Amino acid sequence: MPTQPGLQTVPTPQPQPSGPDYGLTALDLLPTYDRAGYLAAAGTQAPAYDPTQPTKSWAATVDQNGNPIAANTASVTFNYWVPAGNNPPSWGSFTITGAEALAFNIPGFPSYPAYVIAPTPATQGGDIQAPNPIPADQLSTMTQAVALAESWGMTAAQASACIADTYSAQFAPYSIDYNGETRLWLTIDWNGTFINVGQQLEIMYAAGVGAPGAWIVSGAPYVANSSEPVWVSTQPSAAPPLSSAIIPVPQRALLPGEQFIATLMAVEVENTLAPGAPTTGGGGGGLTSAQAAQLTAVEDGINVLLGVFAKPPAA
């Protein structure tokens, strides 16, 4: 249920656009979310997509009259503009259960935030010339190192015993001047091999922080006593198929001065009261003056081509 903070679930008219014409989504009373947008707003993954249920990218906790919606609410009715191709849409409604109103069913893969590695001021100490920068992806915190070691099957005590900053020992006579950096060049001693923690974190988070997967430390594809464990991603290889049904977004009625207009590509809303609104065109599917001029120019071009082939001009 959409109880996470950050998700807008109360039907609220958007501010009326200031321009003379705009798309029908400006009439939506609720925002729609893709999986990345849901994650950003709610701070958690959207529920898994169910292709046997209608696609629904919004949720409402109250109806269009302000009445609370509960999961056991028998039915909730919302208004919306029913599409009619290139003709003006008609004002209609649909009814769903309270559980359906509260639920999201967003298609696609789960979305995971990218692993962002902060830059570092650390440099290599002991250089004769200007010191070389230390790659930030080779640095990590002790907390990250212990968690990684434990995911490889170590106890907390074993992890503490085998984690160390080994840069000076591995690259003597060079060392690291951390210059205020709090992360360290930490490694895990794995069967006598020092494995850099930061680089392993990059591998684990390649598909995003929290993406499913596991470290394999025994059995294929891991080779016994090999240099390092193997990360195996279990992210699905294909998104679920789309449902054949979509629950529309609740919408508001037209405001004074608004009317539908048919453009060359779609139906839009025209606000005749807005500054710069065209003086022609209108609600029955007519064209604005700019659109009419564009259409005339297209027709003139067609007539030129017809003349080249000795054909009569278009009507």
Side-chain angles (χ1 to χ4, degrees):
M1 298 299 174
T3 56
Q4 296 87 353
L7 292 172
Q8 182 185 327
T9 59
V10 176
T12 305
Q14 301 181 53
Q16 186 180 25
S18 59
D21 53 76
Y22 32 88
L24 269 63
T25 57
L27 308 180
D28 291 352
L29 294 177
L30 287 160
T32 58
Y33 297 89
D34 59 14
R35 299 196 71 88
Y38 184 104
L39 177 62
T44 186
Q45 292 290 338
Y49 181 67
D50 183 354
T52 67
Q53 298 298 316
T55 294
K56 184 167 171 285
S57 57
W58 57 273
T61 53
V62 300
D63 64 20
Q64 289 181 235
N65 296 317
N67 300 310
I69 299 172
N72 61 355
T73 301
S75 64
V76 186
T77 299
F78 295 100
N79 297 114
Y80 79 117
W81 290 99
V82 183
N86 285 330
N87 296 315
S90 59
W91 187 236
S93 64
F94 62 91
T95 299
I96 56 179
T97 66
E100 288 175 317
L102 292 168
F104 284 91
N105 194 29
I106 305 173
F109 288 109
S111 176
Y112 299 95
Y115 179 49
V116 179
I117 301 173
T120 180
T123 57
Q124 182 173 259
D127 287 342
I128 297 176
Q129 299 178 343
N132 292 317
I134 297 297
D137 65 349
Q138 296 178 5
L139 303 178
S140 59
T141 67
M142 183 60 72
T143 298
Q144 289 174 318
V146 170
L148 181 64
E150 290 179 346
S151 72
W152 291 355
M154 297 183 184
T155 65
Q158 290 171 331
S160 297
C162 69
I163 296 171
D165 184 335
T166 60
Y167 191 90
S168 298
Q170 289 185 254
F171 302 105
Y174 299 110
S175 60
I176 293 181
D177 293 330
Y178 282 105
N179 302 314
E181 171 65 71
T182 58
R183 294 167 293 176
L184 301 173
W185 206 89
L186 296 175
T187 61
I188 298 173
D189 184 347
W190 182 260
N191 296 323
T193 298
F194 295 131
I195 302 175
N196 182 270
V197 173
Q199 292 175 329
Q200 297 302 301
L201 294 177
E202 270 196 294
I203 294 172
M204 184 170 66
Y205 295 142
V209 178
W215 289 103
I216 307 301
V217 296
S218 63
Y222 177 75
V223 177
N225 297 320
S226 67
S227 60
E228 59 193 47
V230 178
W231 173 259
V232 176
S233 173
T234 55
Q235 181 84 320
S237 59
L242 284 174
S243 170
S244 59
I246 299 176
I247 297 181
V249 185
Q251 294 179 306
R252 65 167 173 82
L254 295 182
L255 299 175
E258 289 183 334
Q259 59 186 7
F260 292 113
I261 57 172
T263 69
L264 295 178
M265 298 298 294
V267 174
E268 293 185 347
V269 181
E270 179 184 67
N271 182 4
T272 61
L273 302 180
T279 57
T280 62
L287 300 177
T288 66
S289 55
Q291 293 163 350
Q294 184 181 17
L295 189 59
T296 299
V298 171
E299 185 178 11
D300 289 343
I302 293 174
N303 285 335
V304 170
L305 291 174
L306 290 173
V308 171
F309 295 100
K311 300 291 185 180

